[in-house]
């Protein structure tokens, strides 16, 4: 007899990385729920890929703001809120509308939403290091340090939280319009992954202000 | 700059957990059923390193590995009877920053395992936040399998 509950884990290459989804609980709805979650991530990938010529990013770069996926509008709106709250330290427009620094977190949130809508009560969605944990169980979290990828830092246990880590290599300071960063990387813990993902960038650029920047969004920052 | 920890986290020791970790997502049989539910599979020996099966429901199941600088990924793709890509699944993901990836003996330890026998390595490090590999090797691998279909499978 097949078990009626347990853990299912899958990974697929999306968003330029490996997206890993692990869900626990009743298995009856697990596989359709996983398919819907991956489909949501594919939709974000199609709309917000900087590489694909048919994406919304390509549209925005050619000055067209019509016919955008409503999800792209949501990401642009949130990006604008964060730009204002960080005095321009986070600015997609400065990087030619590359939404890389926020879209991955948004995709994780949409995947979690799909899983929860399908009745999944616990799980983890990890898109190449931007991850979100939902359900009653606590999960151990490790951070890969940017300057020493062979080592993983154990940062503690979380539940119902999102964690994003970014390394500063290649990070552009929207204010100086140049690659500049004062920290090697930053980890942000927030209630949603889009905010966590976006906030890692201003926290790296201004590590002294990281705590204050993150707290505006009810988040916590760790400068690496 | 040393890490600065928020107040709610006890300043952890910088625990150097093993740099090698691995995850098994699916066995070959599970991946076949995930991509072609209910089908049966006939292997086709092409005398190549990629493994190929024909699905009874029409189409092909191709299994391959990609080797990056720090990662080894076993993956499978499903092609429909017209050769169109209809799905990709990752079966195994193995990562090491200690140089073991290119060591055949280290890789051999992962052979023959099943999903019911998860690797000990993975048990304690499931949630890693921070930059992981790019998927370039995987994308290149899929392109290679599609080319293999054109040369070896299309006319069978």
């Amino acid at each position: 007899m097949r078990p009626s509950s347990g853990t299912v884990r899958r990974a697929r290459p999306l968003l330029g990385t490996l997206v890993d989804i692990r869900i626990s609980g009743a298995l009856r709805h697990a596989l359709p729920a996983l398919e819907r979650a991956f489909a949501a991530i594919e939709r974000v990938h199609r709309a917000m890929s900087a590489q694909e010529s048919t994406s919304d990013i390509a549209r925005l770069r050619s000055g067209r703001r019509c016919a955008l996926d409503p999800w792209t509008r949501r990401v642009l709106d949130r990006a604008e809120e964060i730009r204002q709250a960080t005095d321009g330290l986070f600015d997609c427009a400065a990087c030619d509308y590359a939404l890389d620094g926020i879209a991955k977190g948004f995709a994780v949130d949409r995947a979690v939403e799909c899983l929860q809508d399908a009745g999944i009560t616990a799980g983890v969605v990890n898109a190449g290091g931007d991850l979100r944990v939902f359900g009653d169980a606590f999960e151990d979290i490790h951070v890969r340090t940017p300057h020493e990828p062979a080592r993983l830092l154990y940062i503690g246990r979380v539940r119902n939280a999102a964690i994003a880590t970014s390394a500063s290599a290649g990070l552009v300071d929207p204010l100086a319009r140049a690659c500049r960063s004062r920290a090697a990387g930053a980890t942000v813990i927030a209630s949603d992954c889009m905010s966590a993902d976006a906030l890692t960038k201003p926290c790296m650029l201004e590590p002294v202000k990281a705590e204050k920047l993150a707290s505006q969004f009810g988040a916590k920052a760790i400068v690496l | 700059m040393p890490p600065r920890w928020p107040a709610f986290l006890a300043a952890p020791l910088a625990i150097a957990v093993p740099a090698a970790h691995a995850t098994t997502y699916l066995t070959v049989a599970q991946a076949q059923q995930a991509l072609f539910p209910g089908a049966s599979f006939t292997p086709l020996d092409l005398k190549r390193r990629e493994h190929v099966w024909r699905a009874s429901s029409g189409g092909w199941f191709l299994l391959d590995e990609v080797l990056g600088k720090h990662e080894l990924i076993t993956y499978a793709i499903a092609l429909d009877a017209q050769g169109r890509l209809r799905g990709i699944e990752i079966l195994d993901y193995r990562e090491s920053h200690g140089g073991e990836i290119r060591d055949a003996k280290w890789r051999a330890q992962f052979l023959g395992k099943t999903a019911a026998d998860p690797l000990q390595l993975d048990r304690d490090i499931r949630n890693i936040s921070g930059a992981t590999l790019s998927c370039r090797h995987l994308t290149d691998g899929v392109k290679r399998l599609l080319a293999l279909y054109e040369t070896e499978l299309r006319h069978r």
Side-chain angles (χ1 to χ4, degrees), chain A residues 9-12 16-17 20 22 126 128-129 139-140 142-144 150-155 165 207 220 222-223, chain B residues 3-4 6 8-9 12 14-15 17 19 23 25-26 88-90 95 97 124-132 135:
Chain A
R9 192 171 174 185
R10 291 279 192 281
R12 292 195 191 153
T17 185
D20 178 323
R22 173 162 50 89
N126 189 347
E139 290 278 347
D140 286 329
H142 291 85
V143 168
R144 190 194 307 277
R151 272 157 62 114
L152 298 174
L153 288 177
Y154 174 65
I155 63 161
T165 299
K220 292 281 183 187
I222 301 168
V223 176
Chain B
R4 300 189 318 126
F8 78 102
L9 287 168
I15 305 165
V17 295
T23 305
Y25 293 95
L26 295 165
I88 306 174
E89 290 286 356
I90 307 297
E95 181 183 288
H97 289 270
D124 301 312
I125 19 174
R126 295 202 293 196
N127 306 306
I128 301 174
S129 175
T132 50
C135 264

Side-chain angles (χ1 to χ4, degrees), chain A residues 55-217:
Chain A
S55 74
D56 284 354
I57 307 306
R59 272 201 194 87
L60 285 165
R61 284 176 177 166
S62 62
R64 289 172 294 158
R65 292 187 76 92
C66 56
L68 295 179
D69 186 314
W71 283 7
T72 306
R73 290 199 176 279
R74 279 173 70 179
V75 172
L76 288 170
D77 288 349
R78 185 63 171 160
E80 177 57 20
E81 281 169 28
I82 295 173
R83 189 189 67 79
Q84 287 178 14
T86 59
D87 296 325
L89 278 173
F90 181 85
D91 189 349
C92 297
C95 308
D96 204 13
Y97 291 108
L99 293 179
D100 307 13
I102 184 168
K104 213 156 64 159
F106 178 77
V108 169
D109 290 333
R110 297 288 70 74
V112 168
E113 194 174 71
C114 281
L115 294 169
Q116 290 178 321
D117 286 351
I120 305 298
T121 53
V124 182
V125 177
N126 189 347
D130 291 355
L131 67 96
R132 185 162 155 191
V133 175
F134 67 99
D136 290 335
F138 280 93
E139 290 278 347
D140 286 329
I141 305 293
H142 291 85
V143 168
R144 190 194 307 277
T145 53
H147 46 282
E148 221 180 337
R151 272 157 62 114
L152 298 174
L153 288 177
Y154 174 65
I155 63 161
R157 313 177 77 199
V158 302
R159 70 172 174 187
N160 291 319
I163 298 102
T165 299
S166 294
S168 63
L171 178 72
V172 174
D173 179 345
L175 300 178
R177 303 261 165 161
C179 292
R180 177 191 71 95
S181 176
R182 298 197 175 99
T187 294
V188 173
I189 305 170
S191 57
D192 68 284
C193 204
M194 173 158 59
S195 305
D197 190 8
L199 287 169
T200 56
K201 286 81 188 177
C203 287
M204 278 188 283
L205 293 169
E206 291 290 353
V208 185
K209 293 186 196 162
E211 213 167 306
K212 198 163 156 251
L213 287 168
S215 70
Q216 297 179 86
F217 296 89

